[in-house]
Amino acid sequence: MLSTPVYECPDGHVTCSRCRDNIGDNRCNYCAANGCVRSRAVEEFLGRISFSCRNQQYGCEVFLLHHEMRVHERTCHYDPCFCPVHRCGFAGPAYDLESHLATIHRWEVINFRYGESFQAPAFDSAIFRCEDYGELFHISSSREGLGTALSMICIRPDNAFEEEFTYELKMPAGGRRHRLQIQSTVWNTSLRYGVGEGSDVFLLVPDKLPGVENGCVVEVCIRKVVAGN
């Protein structure tokens, strides 16, 4: 509400542009008087007020004017990611999330490079960190019918520069001659709303599939899609 344009009716009631548009006919949303005009004095006053960043609670100490803050928040390094552990409640920068998962929840941290295959636990919790760029990935698992659905997510702030990643998962099944496999696009998310709205594409591992049990591993390969390719 503390942003221009601001309007004022003949009786001195001040309203924001959104409320003025909602009531329509250039009438005051408080007394319904006609003839609202721009309140230049209030706008000038508001233009001098500095605001704290929306990520103040996560460590950002920036105070800026309203129009400058909008630009800052689009690239603020303190924009949070959220813990994927149910009901944990942790939120903070991505590098803090990695430390939180490793120390508080005892997740395994696996370093990797784009385009190179590595092994990871199929059903145990782990976080994958790109050695070159620091992005965090995680295999999200959920119950789906008579099996477990596996898909890859990249845990990134909401304001992160939009990039596309692809991944492959390969899992032995019923001996050396058979395996389950998927190749798809990674779902980018800060997990602000949890993991319930992930990708509709996943690798389904049936409960009764021979050779698949707790402690088994999956072969993973993550690639960053270069623009123009």
Side-chain angles (χ1 to χ4, degrees), residues 2-59:
L2 295 177
S3 61
T4 59
V6 176
Y7 295 88
E8 184 176 346
C9 78
D11 292 330
H13 303 129
V14 177
T15 184
C16 70
S17 59
R18 179 178 297 179
C19 292
R20 172 180 173 270
D21 293 341
N22 285 340
I23 194 170
D25 298 329
N26 202 31
R27 292 184 294 127
C28 175
N29 70 315
Y30 181 78
C31 67
N34 291 317
C36 290
V37 296
R38 292 282 291 273
S39 181
R40 301 296 181 181
V42 174
E43 289 182 355
E44 183 178 354
F45 170 75
L46 294 178
R48 297 177 181 176
I49 298 178
S50 294
F51 295 82
S52 62
C53 176
R54 69 186 180 193
N55 297 319
Q56 183 184 40
Q57 61 180 310
Y58 306 118

Side-chain angles (χ1 to χ4, degrees), residues 49-84:
I49 298 178
S50 294
F51 295 82
S52 62
C53 176
R54 69 186 180 193
N55 297 319
Q56 183 184 40
Q57 61 180 310
Y58 306 118
C60 185
E61 299 178 352
V62 168
F63 276 80
L64 293 171
L65 299 178
H66 189 273
H67 67 281
E68 295 174 336
M69 183 57 69
R70 290 180 177 178
V71 176
H72 162 77
E73 288 180 345
R74 287 198 291 266
T75 57
C76 179
H77 296 301
Y78 291 90
D79 211 42
C81 295
F82 299 80
C83 182

